[in-house]
Amino acid sequence: MNISFRSQALLATLLAVLCGCASSPPPVPVEERSSIAIDREPTAAPTPTPPPSLTLDAYKTHVARHIVQRNADRIFSGRLPPMLPAIVVVNITVDGDGQLTDVQVQRARDANAARIAMASMLRSGPLPRPHGLLAANSRAMTFSETFLFDRDYRFQLRTLAGPQ
């Protein structure tokens, strides 16, 4: 449907006029406002709202930054090498308070890299709390993180690593 420029301008003007016709409610006289305030009971302070629920990906990013911060001496930055000497996948179980309840190597071909990944996870505890991510009636949640190692056994976390 093609509407000419002239028709569009006419519709816009008509809409503006109609919107201007709405009136705001009359102001409450000062006497009534002060009597209303006197008649009310004092209200309690508002309760703090809990943090919003995170997505699992957002939580994993938060945890990865936490791990990097706690293991700064073991991190390498920049581009990943074309061939990674070691990759370790770790399953992490965390309770509602962020306490590590279980950490297991799911996959690794290099025992030294696996030990470094495990030690790095233990140094990182407790992790941030998983607000809103625990399943109903669950006390903990499990997710995985992948450690990408260079030849000097320094690592990046897959969650934070850029594209290769």
Side-chain angles (χ1 to χ4, degrees), residues 83-156:
M83 294 294 292
L84 294 167
I87 299 173
V88 178
V89 179
V90 177
N91 286 336
I92 304 161
T93 303
V94 62
D95 68 12
D97 293 327
Q99 296 296 324
L100 293 169
T101 59
D102 192 26
V103 180
Q104 294 181 0
V105 174
Q106 178 182 347
R107 185 174 57 197
R109 291 189 178 178
D110 185 318
N112 289 331
R115 278 193 290 279
I116 291 169
M118 289 295 288
S120 297
M121 284 307 308
L122 294 176
R123 267 193 303 277
S124 299
L127 299 178
R129 292 179 176 200
H131 296 290
L133 291 175
L134 295 182
N137 300 323
S138 177
R139 295 174 192 237
M141 65 176 277
T142 301
F143 60 97
S144 63
E145 182 58 80
T146 304
F147 287 71
L148 309 169
F149 285 89
D150 69 2
R151 65 177 181 207
D152 299 322
Y153 287 102
R154 292 179 304 145
F155 64 87
Q156 286 187 23

Side-chain angles (χ1 to χ4, degrees), residues 1-16:
M1 179 170 113
N2 289 335
I3 299 177
S4 69
F5 177 74
R6 189 176 206 179
S7 297
Q8 289 176 354
L10 180 62
L11 286 173
T13 303
L14 181 60
L15 184 61

